[in-house]
Amino acid sequence: AQKVTQAQTEISVVEKEDVTLDCVYETRDTTYYLFWYKQPPSGELVFLIRRNSFDEQNEISGRYSWNFQKSTSSFNFTITASQVVDSAVYFCALSEESSGSRLTFGEGTQLTVNP
Amino acid sequence: DVKVTQSSRYLVKRTGEKVFLECVQDMDHENMFWYRQDPGLGLRLIYFSYDVKMKEKGDIPEGYSVSREKKERFSLILESASTNQTSMYLCASSLLLGVYGYTFGSGTRLTVV
């Protein structure tokens, strides 16, 4: 069965600090997909990134970067030079072929960036 | 852009009432989902649907039912609302399951008193 763990319930940083959100997953499949979503105070989950299990290249998008390591079953998310607008709940999610590709979400990490 | 619209942002209902939460998507997606979100528990899947008139139980279907009479609309029904169903409810749709992820609505915050 698939499982996603986000051990950090809440993180608080000061603007311009770098912050890393951890995500650890469990799956028996060789083909799976990993996702990160952002949920701002407005409530709507916003898609940030998708990664398939065969592509371990790290990705950078502006101030956002993702580190995918199959050896440790982790898919961590780093925000560089954080801004107040980054304050949100961030969810990591996993889908695997054997379970009909349903998305399983982690518990979420509440990030607060203080001015 | 795909849009998923949930009819109500906030709802307050009484215990025992029958409650309908409506969700509409405008991009012809086959797959639709209902999740509830509670602090510390993340998002938990209630029901999902692969096609019109098809439905599958998720992880926490007890106390809920769904209806999908048209491809674009997926309704969540609380047959007899209880206080433990107070939660944020999120609807989502997707084109290819798991591959492209989901597009979510803004959520309905339901309070049962």
Side-chain angles (χ1 to χ4, degrees), chain A:
Chain A
Q2 58 193 45
K3 184 179 178 182
V4 177
T5 301
Q6 295 178 255
Q8 303 151 307
T9 305
E10 295 181 22
I11 300 175
S12 182
V13 299
V14 177
E15 210 170 15
K16 297 184 184 177
E17 280 187 38
D18 298 348
V19 58
T20 296
L21 309 182
D22 297 333
C23 174
V24 175
Y25 63 92
E26 295 177 27
T27 178
R28 294 179 181 174
D29 280 26
T30 55
T31 301
Y32 53 90
Y33 299 87
L34 294 162
F35 303 82
W36 275 95
Y37 284 86
K38 174 182 180 180
Q39 186 182 39
S42 61
E44 184 173 335
L45 270 79
V46 177
F47 168 82
L48 294 178
I49 190 172
R50 171 180 65 93
R51 229 29 183 172
N52 73 59
S53 53
F54 300 108
D55 183 1
E56 281 194 78
Q57 271 194 327
N58 292 329
E59 181 151 339
I60 298 174
S61 176
R63 295 183 297 107
Y64 294 172
S65 62
W66 290 270
N67 183 356
F68 176 28
Q69 292 197 348
K70 288 176 77 170
S71 60
T72 55
S73 297
S74 65
F75 186 44
N76 296 337
F77 173 31
T78 297
I79 302 174
T80 303
S82 60
Q83 300 176 1
V84 173
V85 293
D86 296 327
S87 297
V89 181
Y90 291 86
F91 289 97
C92 181
L94 165 71
S95 73
E96 53 186 17
E97 281 192 337
S98 63
S99 60
S101 298
R102 291 165 38 177
L103 275 184
T104 295
F105 288 84
E107 304 88 343
T109 297
Q110 171 71 60
L111 173 65
T112 302
V113 181
N114 299 297

Side-chain angles (χ1 to χ4, degrees), chain B residues 21-34 47-56 65-77 91-95 97:
Chain B
L21 303 184
E22 306 289 344
C23 175
V24 177
Q25 51 95 3
D26 64 1
M27 281 298 289
D28 205 34
H29 284 178
E30 282 79 19
N31 311 297
M32 297 188 74
F33 308 84
W34 276 106
Y47 267 98
F48 59 106
S49 170
Y50 292 114
D51 203 347
V52 176
K53 297 194 185 291
M54 295 185 67
K55 59 184 179 183
E56 297 282 344
S65 62
V66 290
S67 171
R68 193 159 181 209
E69 296 297 319
K70 294 184 178 181
K71 193 174 187 179
E72 67 270 19
R73 186 180 297 270
F74 192 36
S75 303
L76 180 70
I77 304 159
C91 176
S93 72
S94 73
L95 181 58
L97 273 182

